[in-house]
Amino acid sequence: MLPILWDPFTTISLVEDEVDDLFDELSPIPSACVWSPPVRVSEDDKRFTVRAELPGIDPKDIQLSIEDHHMTLKGEKKSEKSGKGRNDLWTECFYGSFSRTFRLPETVETKKIKARLKNGVLEISLPKRAEAKPKKISVEMN
């Protein structure tokens, strides 16, 4: 039977795991509660479209900015106040600030970007420049 040798790397790994667990327990906001609204990006011949799910967010709490072909979407979902005599026993709702930045293709006409919020979904329309749109070329027959 061979003796068991001490492996310092195993000990270091165990200590790192313990420290990670300790910080997870001390964190006021569990990592699972940090949120960012889900988005869907699509494209057709005329535009790119970004749809972000922002239920319960007031339009005045949403900022959209464009700088150096980067679009930044920022906002805040504010916590609902418990009413008098009402205590929340459980919540799976996310609250707080978020920020998402997207690099825009050079083909986007940034001066014509439009955004609208409807039914909790923010739709951002990013039109393509005319020269970026596909062109049909007819083939001649001899």
Side-chain angles (χ1 to χ4, degrees):
M1 182 165 198
L2 295 172
I4 299 173
L5 298 175
W6 176 67
D7 181 6
F9 297 107
T10 301
T11 304
I12 290 171
S13 178
L14 291 172
V15 170
E16 286 177 340
D17 290 344
E18 290 293 322
V19 170
D20 287 344
D21 290 345
L22 177 65
F23 278 110
D24 285 344
E25 289 175 21
L26 295 176
S27 173
I29 301 173
S31 59
C33 290
V34 175
W35 79 287
S36 187
V39 297
R40 182 177 64 196
V41 179
S42 57
E43 175 186 18
D44 62 26
D45 292 344
K46 297 179 182 178
R47 72 186 48 85
F48 297 94
T49 303
V50 177
R51 287 182 181 85
E53 295 179 8
L54 303 172
I57 298 179
D58 192 312
K60 71 178 186 229
D61 294 324
I62 300 170
Q63 301 95 40
L64 187 63
S65 62
I66 308 292
E67 185 176 341
D68 296 327
H69 278 283
H70 286 83
M71 178 179 72
T72 300
L73 171 62
K74 291 182 180 181
E76 181 179 6
K77 184 175 181 183
K78 295 181 179 171
S79 172
E80 297 174 2
K81 305 288 184 206
S82 292
K84 191 173 186 175
R86 186 183 103 200
N87 294 319
D88 291 337
L89 301 176
W90 185 265
T91 184
E92 294 182 355
C93 300
F94 296 106
Y95 300 101
S97 298
F98 64 88
S99 180
R100 302 283 309 260
T101 299
F102 304 89
R103 180 166 166 62
L104 301 178
E106 296 290 327
T107 57
V108 170
E109 185 65 61
T110 57
K111 292 180 177 149
K112 295 184 179 180
I113 293 174
K114 293 184 180 179
R116 76 176 205 171
L117 183 68
K118 182 178 179 186
N119 297 328
V121 177
L122 177 67
E123 183 173 292
I124 306 164
S125 176
L126 305 143
K128 294 179 181 179
R129 291 186 187 141
E131 65 269 14
K133 295 176 185 171
K135 296 179 178 79
K136 291 186 179 182
I137 300 170
S138 60
V139 177
E140 297 179 18
M141 293 180 61
N142 288 337

